[in-house]
């Protein structure tokens, strides 16, 4: 079965006005809460415009950078300047459930701070007796890319060091999420926009009906909450993954016991990159980062 196509259900399409019948620069599956101002900001992530521009809807109206909701249709970038698609590649990511004592420290710190899914508000079954189902502690910046974290000196953003392990396992790089939401967050289907009051943004159908909502003030006011730079990083990855060109592949993550996971990965999209990610994910667990 072919991998799901991120662009199949798009109802917003973005074109260079100089090539109105050409290949779309990108697009969006419209969900609740996306404003014109958001759309302008997203466009400036997926393309580089070397000069001033206006955004025109196919209804022949100019689209201002305001808080009006985005309308479905074709949008054209009108400019005399050069437009180029951003060649930045998002970091490949699939669901990651790390193990090891240092992850346990991370998990316990995230649970203690958040108490519930920070996006849906879903509560754990019986936390007083240690039953936190169906909630999981998720890394915002994936543990599999610890080396890139080090090379980019991303630890400079962390002010709350973990009791055990490297700074990538700081509570400031974590969120407590419903298990299904964790899957969507790791796959960049949902993200948080820190530039718009920490709005919850979905890039595909929102089955939770939380798109357009905002993170709760109690969470945002916590001194150990995730840092804006990591929210900003994740949101940028989500925009690049879902909106640029035809979008990146959606990876299978449901591998029941006995399934031939390696064969499924090798026969799927971006097999080499996916195998590398899975290897790094497991090494991070074995090495107890």
């Amino acid at each position: 079965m072919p991998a799901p196509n991120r662009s199949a259900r798009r109802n917003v399409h973005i074109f260079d006005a100089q090539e109105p019948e050409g290949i779309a620069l990108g697009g969006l599956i419209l969900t609740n809460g996306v404003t014109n101002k958001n759309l302008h900001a997203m466009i400036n992530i997926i393309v580089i415009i070397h000069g001033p521009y206006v955004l025109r809807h196919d209804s022949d109206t100019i689209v201002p950078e305001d808080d009006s909701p985005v309308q479905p249709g074709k949008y054209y970038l009108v400019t005399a300047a050069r437009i180029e698609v951003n060649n930045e590649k998002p970091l490949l990511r699939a669901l990651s459930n790390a193990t090891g004592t240092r992850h346990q420290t991370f998990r316990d710190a995230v649970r203690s701070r958040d108490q519930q899914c920070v996006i849906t508000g879903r509560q754990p079954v019986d936390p007083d007796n240690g039953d936190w189902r169906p909630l999981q502690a998720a890394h915002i910046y994936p543990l599999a890319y610890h080396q890139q974290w080090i090379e980019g000196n991303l630890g400079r953003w962390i002010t709350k060091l973990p009791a055990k392990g490297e700074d990538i396992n700081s509570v400031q790089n974590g969120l407590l999420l419903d298990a299904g939401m964790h899957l969507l967050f790791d796959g960049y289907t949902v993200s948080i926009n820190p530039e718009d009051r920490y709005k919850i943004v979905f890039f595909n159908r929102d089955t939770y009906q939380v798109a357009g909502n905002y993170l709760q003030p109690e969470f945002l006011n916590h001194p150990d909450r995730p840092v804006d730079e990591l929210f900003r990083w994740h949101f940028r990855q989500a925009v690049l993954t879902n909106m640029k060109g035809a979008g990146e592949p959606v990876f299978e993550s449901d591998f029941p016991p006995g399934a031939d996971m390696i064969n499924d990965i090798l026969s799927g999209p971006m097999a080499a990159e996916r195998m590398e990610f899975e290897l790094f994910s497991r090494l991070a667990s074995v090495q107890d980062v």
Side-chain angles (χ1 to χ4, degrees):
M1 177 179 289
N5 183 348
R6 290 187 191 263
S7 65
R9 298 182 61 251
R10 284 178 178 171
N11 51 3
V12 170
H13 308 273
I14 303 159
F15 294 88
D16 182 344
Q18 297 184 31
E19 300 180 23
E21 302 302 323
I23 297 174
L25 300 171
L28 178 67
I29 298 172
L30 198 55
T31 58
N32 189 51
V34 180
T35 67
N36 290 338
K37 186 176 181 179
N38 296 152
L39 182 61
H40 276 271
M42 291 169 170
I43 288 172
N44 278 284
I45 291 175
I46 67 171
V47 298
I48 301 169
I49 308 171
H50 297 269
Y53 75 95
V54 295
L55 185 62
R56 179 170 55 82
H57 188 260
D58 58 11
S59 62
D60 210 29
T61 58
I62 301 299
V63 181
E65 293 188 53
D66 62 15
D67 291 327
S68 301
V70 171
Q71 299 302 310
K74 294 181 179 180
Y75 289 78
Y76 300 94
L77 293 169
V78 182
T79 179
R82 181 165 57 95
I83 298 174
E84 58 181 306
V85 176
N86 186 352
N87 64 7
E88 178 182 348
K89 289 286 291 182
L91 286 184
L92 171 67
R93 190 169 184 178
L95 178 66
S96 56
N97 286 314
T99 59
T101 58
R102 286 163 177 79
H103 178 72
Q104 292 170 15
T105 302
F106 165 80
R107 178 199 65 198
D108 292 346
V110 172
R111 285 175 174 176
S112 176
R113 183 196 63 198
D114 295 348
Q115 300 292 310
Q116 62 182 10
C117 174
V118 301
I119 292 179
T120 66
R122 188 168 188 178
Q123 302 285 326
V125 170
D126 189 5
D128 291 340
N129 287 314
D131 189 350
W132 284 84
R133 294 174 302 163
L135 306 186
Q136 299 174 346
H139 285 82
I140 300 172
Y141 191 98
L143 195 58
Y145 294 117
H146 186 220
Q147 187 59 40
Q148 287 89 330
W149 171 280
I150 294 172
E151 291 170 357
N153 191 27
L154 304 191
R156 70 187 185 279
W157 296 332
I158 300 299
T159 59
K160 177 74 171 181
L161 294 175
K164 181 184 290 187
E166 302 288 343
D167 50 19
I168 195 172
N169 274 320
S170 167
V171 68
Q172 291 178 303
N173 184 35
L175 297 170
L176 194 61
L177 299 176
D178 170 90
M181 188 61 71
H182 186 184
L183 180 66
L184 297 177
F185 186 83
D186 276 8
Y188 302 125
T189 299
V190 64
S191 192
I192 307 298
N193 184 359
E195 308 300 339
D196 191 4
R197 297 177 291 158
Y198 305 93
K199 182 188 287 180
I200 299 164
V201 180
F202 265 74
F203 292 90
N204 206 326
R205 190 162 61 97
D206 171 22
T207 58
Y208 289 85
Q209 298 193 0
V210 294
N213 292 350
Y214 300 89
L215 297 186
Q216 293 299 307
E218 295 82 3
F219 171 77
L220 295 172
N221 291 333
H222 196 288
D224 297 337
R225 74 164 176 86
V227 293
D228 283 357
E229 290 85 355
L230 291 175
F231 278 134
R232 195 172 292 119
W233 175 86
H234 187 275
F235 184 72
R236 183 178 183 88
Q237 298 294 302
V239 170
L240 291 169
T241 297
N242 291 282
M243 291 186 61
K244 187 175 75 168
E248 299 293 329
V250 178
F251 297 108
E252 180 60 72
S253 60
D254 186 6
F255 297 106
D260 190 350
M261 177 180 175
I262 292 178
N263 183 64
D264 283 354
I265 291 174
L266 291 177
S267 61
M270 299 178 67
E273 294 89 343
R274 178 77 189 276
M275 284 298 295
E276 184 177 47
F277 176 85
E278 296 293 344
L279 175 62
F280 286 162
S281 295
R282 283 153 181 73
L283 283 176
S285 298
V286 172
Q287 292 173 346
D288 215 9
V289 172

